Amino acid sequence: MDIEGARVLVPGATGAIGSALARTLHGSGALLHLAGRDEAVLRTLGEQLPGVLTSTFDAYDLDGCAALTDRAAERLGGLDAVVTCVGVPAFGPAETVSDAVAEHLMTVNALAPVAFLRAALPHMTSGGVLVALTGVVADAPPAHMADYAAAKSALAAWVEAVRKEQRRRHVTLVDLRLPHVETGFAGRAVAGRPPRLPPGLSVPAAVALVMAALTDAPPATAPA
């Protein structure tokens, strides 16, 4: 996909990866609709990136996520790509994680990204790319992260199945399984304390992988 002039929706644009990706896409000439829950960050992005459209959303409002996608397509005149950067972690042995936390993890990490991607499908034309940031936990679920890994694995499975469905339309779905990225993400866990983690990928390196996924449109899981 040619980034210049591409119409791109970025849910989760107020996070470290999402905001850095927004700046890179804007610098490459993409037409952007940025969505996030932090109004202050969205306002800053709107001021720093002339011409971008912005919207807030609640990951628990799945119908709202779908409606935002439709609205983005209408305002941009279509969609060429969607990159979901939505996510939240939790830590701890399975028996210490409440059902409410487990539901939260599944909603934010799987159901909300799926709502955006599902709603985008009717707007996509040949050459379109849909990218979901899952993580290496989808391949190798670690101890003390069972529910987080389960949610990311669910998202990865959905992307894989729909990728096969969309092949004839030449719409590419990418499951981008990033390794640990140095975003401070683990420190914002909704439950538990993160384990000691080795040094992770830098945010610019993570953004470079996302950009490669968009421009190369790999047919299957992108390497981390």
Side-chain angles (χ1 to χ4, degrees), residues 29 36 69 98 111 113 147 164 172 185 198 200 202:
T69 305
S98 70
L111 297 181
D147 291 278
K164 297 171 183 175
T172 301
F185 180 71
S202 70

Side-chain angles (χ1 to χ4, degrees), residues 69-147:
T69 305
D70 292 335
R71 188 164 63 252
E74 180 179 358
R75 296 177 73 185
L76 291 172
L79 285 174
D80 298 301
V82 178
V83 183
T84 61
C85 303
V86 183
V88 64
F91 305 95
E95 67 271 19
T96 69
V97 176
S98 70
D99 289 334
V101 168
E103 179 187 25
H104 184 73
L105 293 173
M106 187 61 70
T107 300
V108 175
N109 294 303
L111 297 181
V114 164
F116 282 111
L117 297 174
R118 190 195 313 277
L121 288 171
H123 300 290
M124 305 300 290
T125 57
S126 179
V129 185
L130 301 176
V131 181
L133 272 58
T134 58
V136 294
V137 295
D139 278 322
H144 293 192
M145 296 180 68
D147 291 278

